[in-house]
Amino acid sequence: MDARTRELARIVWDYLVLSEPLSKADVILALGSHDTRVAVHAARLWHEGWAPLVVVSGGRGKVTSGWELTEARVFGRVAREHGVPDRALLLEETATNTGENITASRRLLAERGVAVERGILVAKPYMTRRALATARRQWAGVGWVASAPELGFEAYAGEERQFVELMVGDLQRMVVYAERGFQVPTHVPAAVWAAYEELARLGFDRHVIR
């Protein structure tokens, strides 16, 4: 990653990463992805007593389409390895995007008779802001907060191109999906949007909606 790309990517990162104080909740909802550190973090929150139940959600997405197992099964295995018992773990294996993570998990919990008033979303750091905006639209009425593994920009910079492409796609969706009613509107500062546009012009547009 050259210096200019790193500078632009850091601007986007700083906007997308959202850290919030935690409070006791009814469920920890871990959003599936290729990053199993999310499942480790969800397990840690469970051990700390923030919620009695962990839901791991994910079928196969744009990065995990070639996985033999669903994201939920992989995350579930990791959660068990980190001490979450089956009685406190639910797997949602159909979701292919963030919106479906929320809506499919909502259906699953309703089927199980689990009432949710407060929830903790667990995602990659640069997915936290969009995950929260999505949940507040797709499952309004629940008091959501977002949490992520304590990983900084440099922890992902080694992924180079894929990392930047994913962030560029996520930032665009903050705007496009709000316009389509999929998530609540969120202000994107002009400097952040300018960084997105330059990265897209530089070719980091693999996950941009056409």
Side-chain angles (χ1 to χ4, degrees):
M1 191 184 303
D2 62 39
R4 181 56 179 164
T5 299
R6 180 178 294 271
E7 177 186 2
L8 295 167
R10 188 57 186 260
I11 292 170
V12 175
W13 167 277
D14 286 344
Y15 172 73
L16 290 176
V17 175
L18 184 63
S19 178
E20 299 183 309
L22 294 178
S23 58
K24 289 293 184 71
D26 302 299
V27 65
I28 297 164
L29 175 50
L31 307 186
S33 69
H34 66 289
D35 191 342
T36 58
R37 291 173 293 190
V38 172
V40 175
H41 185 66
R44 182 173 73 82
L45 296 184
W46 182 84
H47 281 292
E48 291 176 356
W50 292 108
L53 181 64
V54 177
V55 176
V56 291
S57 172
R60 294 177 180 85
K62 53 182 175 283
V63 178
T64 60
S65 59
W67 282 16
E68 180 181 355
L69 301 177
T70 62
E71 295 168 355
R73 284 190 180 271
V74 173
F75 273 35
R77 182 181 64 202
V78 172
R80 291 186 188 97
E81 289 171 351
H82 285 80
V84 179
D86 286 339
R87 61 176 170 77
L89 185 63
L90 284 178
L91 273 61
E92 186 295 298
E93 296 188 75
T94 68
T96 62
N97 57 51
T98 306
E100 291 176 0
N101 287 143
I102 306 302
T103 57
S105 296
R106 182 178 186 174
R107 286 193 300 271
L108 176 63
L109 288 165
E111 290 168 359
R112 299 297 181 95
V114 179
V116 179
E117 295 183 0
R118 302 189 64 82
I120 300 171
L121 297 167
V122 182
K124 302 187 300 288
Y126 59 89
M127 268 295 298
T128 46
R129 186 179 293 272
R130 188 163 79 84
L132 194 61
T134 303
R136 286 175 173 168
R137 174 69 75 197
Q138 301 293 337
W139 199 347
V142 172
W144 292 106
V145 296
S147 185
E150 295 178 0
L151 301 167
F153 177 83
E154 295 300 329
Y156 286 94
E159 296 179 11
E160 302 243 342
R161 190 165 199 89
Q162 176 176 262
F163 164 56
V164 179
E165 289 172 344
L166 287 169
M167 287 203 303
V168 166
D170 282 342
L171 180 55
Q172 186 210 28
R173 283 163 176 75
M174 293 294 299
V175 175
V176 173
Y177 282 1
E179 292 172 348
R180 296 181 181 179
F182 299 157
Q183 60 187 52
V184 297
T186 305
H187 172 67
V188 179
V192 175
W193 192 249
Y196 154 78
E197 290 182 321
E198 187 169 349
L199 285 168
R201 283 196 300 270
L202 290 171
F204 294 93
D205 59 351
R206 180 179 179 187
H207 301 302
V208 167
I209 300 169
R210 306 298 178 181

